[in-house]
């Protein structure tokens, strides 16, 4: 199965709207699931990616540099993340904790008031983790 990666930026969307010259309406999708992934090759630093699945079963990944990738389904998004050496945060256990060198109790999913603030918290250096707690 060949995966096609799409990177969509706000500038590209705005340009498409201006080129067509018509007012476009976007239907708001509802989020039915959200989970977080960590890039295993970045340990002990934390490089986060957020995966959202929508009510139409499409999926979207937001990574720590602010890039968004859209997929027709969650399975394609999983393949994309695994290809880039991400592992699902929920699946980490004591064995992973020893390998990472950081207690899982010190690792917290990033939160932000808006997407910009969230993105700023999606890459955390090991020294920052220990200093925060």
């Amino acid at each position: 199965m060949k995966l096609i990666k799409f990177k969509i930026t706000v500038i590209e969307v705005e340009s498409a709207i201006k080129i067509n010259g018509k007012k476009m309406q976007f239907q708001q999708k509802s989020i039915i699931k959200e989970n977080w992934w960590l890039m295993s090759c970045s340990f002990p630093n934390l490089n986060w990616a957020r995966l959202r699945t929508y009510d139409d079963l499409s999926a979207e990944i937001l990574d720590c540099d602010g890039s968004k990738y859209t997929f027709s389904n969650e399975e394609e998004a999983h393949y994309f993340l695994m290809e880039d050496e991400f592992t699902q945060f929920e699946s980490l256990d004591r064995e992973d904790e020893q390998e990472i060198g950081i207690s899982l109790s010190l690792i917290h999913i990033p939160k932000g008031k808006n997407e910009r603030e969230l993105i700023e918290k999606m890459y955390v250096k090991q020294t920052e983790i220990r200093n925060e707690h």
Side-chain angles (χ1 to χ4, degrees):
M1 175 180 189
K2 183 178 179 183
L3 295 179
I4 301 171
K5 299 178 184 179
F6 291 97
K7 183 176 180 180
I8 299 173
T9 64
V10 173
I11 294 168
E12 290 170 340
V13 173
E14 289 174 346
S15 297
I17 293 169
K18 288 177 187 172
I19 289 170
N20 294 335
K22 296 179 182 177
K23 221 177 197 182
M24 297 178 73
Q25 293 182 334
F26 296 97
Q27 186 175 5
Q28 187 71 20
K29 298 179 189 181
S30 296
I31 301 164
I32 60 170
K33 186 171 23 170
E34 179 177 284
N35 54 47
W36 288 86
W37 296 64
L38 283 167
M39 184 178 275
S40 57
C41 63
S42 291
F43 293 145
N45 300 320
L46 305 180
N47 181 346
W48 290 96
R50 180 189 70 196
L51 170 60
R52 284 185 169 169
T53 305
Y54 295 97
D55 56 356
D56 67 355
L57 302 182
S58 66
E60 176 187 78
I61 295 171
L62 173 67
D63 68 17
C64 73
D65 68 1
S67 298
K68 285 186 178 180
Y69 302 91
T70 57
F71 302 88
S72 59
N73 61 59
E74 187 177 355
E75 184 179 5
E76 288 177 2
H78 282 191
Y79 285 128
F80 175 85
L81 287 163
M82 290 185 291
E83 183 179 287
D84 282 349
E85 299 185 50
F86 279 89
T87 187
Q88 200 166 357
F89 178 61
E90 303 170 344
S91 69
L92 296 177
D93 58 21
R94 290 250 181 241
E95 190 175 303
D96 295 311
E97 184 178 69
Q98 290 174 343
E99 186 179 318
I100 297 168
I102 301 169
S103 170
L104 292 176
S105 65
L106 295 177
I107 300 175
H108 301 283
I109 293 172
K111 293 187 180 3
K113 293 181 220 167
N114 54 50
E115 204 164 86
R116 180 170 284 169
E117 188 178 297
L118 176 65
I119 292 166
E120 291 173 5
K121 297 176 181 182
M122 289 176 67
Y123 183 81
V124 183
K125 292 183 181 179
Q126 178 185 16
T127 54
E128 295 170 357
I129 296 166
R130 296 199 169 140
N131 291 334
E132 287 179 2
H133 302 282

